[in-house]
Amino acid sequence: MNCLNYFARWNFLAVAVLFALATFGLPSSAMGQDTAKSMLQLAGKTAKQARSKKGEERAKVYREALVAYSKVVDNWPDALKEKARAFVETGRLHRKLKETPQALTAFEAALATPGQARAHVMALESMASLHRKQKNLKGVRETYERLIRDCAGEDRSCAKAKLSLASLARRAHQWNESDRLAKSVLDDTPQLWRENVDAGNAIVSGLIKRREWRKALDSLKAQDEFLRSRFESTETWAKVQKAMAKMSARRTLTPVTESD
């Protein structure tokens, strides 16, 4: 009986363990089955732990995440999607650590990974943001131009890059270039309502900066009519109307009377 009880208990425990494994699984590292995807996720989770920390403790967590991202690159060189994303996140962490050269090197490595359009756009957006923070307008402009050339399939990112370049053009009083870029957004991405509103706002804003008040008023009315004709019959119309009401050009022109 004792022997039977022993085997009965052993069988019960074995079934319980198998049930637990089937239900919860083991960490991939415990089973020796790490993948590029699981390591990428681990690195991301590690980086998130820095949110509750400051100073050297935060930097230490970022360093730990960087090690995990490097493992993705080193251990799975053929996992191009995960590899490219690891480069992007590596660059972002180096930026947070104020290590600009390393950040740019990582972003360029992401761009050199073939066939990863989304990662390429993410890298270029991060590069542009880094250049902007450093007040390197030449770098910002060149990066956005590069993004526009390479943004196939990433319509929203491309439209935003054009709008950013249009803003830079207005700052440089390059009115024709600003208008060209804004109109390109309207022509090339009719499905993106928010970017369409921003493009209309950019066109009117150019006239305001030139103090061409009458033309600006007429242009605002034209943009309103255009946006209405494009989106009034869509389910996004309510959102479009709210965005139109908040256009900076509209707020500027509100006090302008017919006599102006």
Side-chain angles (χ1 to χ4, degrees), residues 46-223:
T46 301
K48 287 180 180 179
Q49 294 174 7
R51 294 175 179 174
S52 60
K53 302 182 185 299
K54 296 181 179 180
E56 289 300 321
E57 289 188 358
R58 175 176 289 184
K60 182 180 178 181
V61 174
Y62 286 154
R63 298 289 180 198
E64 292 173 356
L66 284 171
V67 171
Y69 282 125
S70 70
K71 289 181 179 180
V72 176
V73 174
D74 295 338
N75 295 346
W76 295 277
D78 296 328
L80 298 183
K81 180 179 179 180
E82 290 78 11
K83 181 179 177 180
R85 183 60 183 268
F87 280 133
V88 171
E89 298 303 333
T90 293
R92 289 173 173 176
L93 288 181
H94 279 304
R95 179 186 174 183
K96 290 179 179 179
L97 290 165
K98 302 185 185 304
E99 297 170 347
T100 298
Q102 294 92 324
L104 292 174
T105 297
F107 293 141
E108 289 292 351
L111 292 168
T113 307
Q116 303 303 314
R118 183 56 193 154
H120 292 176
V121 166
M122 293 170 67
L124 288 166
E125 289 175 337
S126 294
M127 288 175 69
S129 177
L130 179 56
H131 287 313
R132 188 182 293 278
K133 186 174 182 179
Q134 295 180 318
K135 302 186 185 305
N136 178 8
L137 296 184
K138 181 175 183 291
V140 173
R141 186 178 295 106
E142 291 177 349
T143 302
Y144 278 133
E145 289 173 348
R146 188 175 177 183
L147 194 159
I148 291 170
R149 291 195 301 269
D150 300 336
C151 67
E154 298 290 337
D155 290 344
R156 176 164 279 108
S157 294
C158 188
K160 288 181 177 179
K162 289 178 180 179
L163 291 169
S164 294
L165 283 177
S167 178
L168 291 176
R170 288 195 301 279
R171 290 176 61 177
H173 293 183
Q174 297 171 344
W175 312 118
N176 291 338
E177 178 66 3
S178 176
D179 287 347
R180 182 189 70 79
L181 288 162
K183 290 175 181 177
S184 176
V185 172
L186 296 174
D187 293 339
D188 297 342
T189 51
Q191 76 280 15
L192 301 178
W193 67 265
R194 189 178 299 278
E195 286 71 21
N196 272 229
V197 174
D198 290 343
N201 186 61
I203 292 170
V204 181
S205 294
L207 292 167
I208 290 173
K209 280 187 170 292
R210 282 172 272 180
R211 298 183 179 279
E212 297 182 17
W213 304 111
R214 170 53 53 197
K215 289 184 178 180
L217 282 167
D218 292 342
S219 180
L220 180 62
K221 292 178 181 178
Q223 293 304 320

Side-chain angles (χ1 to χ4, degrees), residues 10-26:
W10 189 92
N11 285 335
F12 174 78
L13 289 172
V15 171
V17 170
L18 290 173
F19 176 79
L21 289 174
T23 304
F24 303 104
L26 278 176

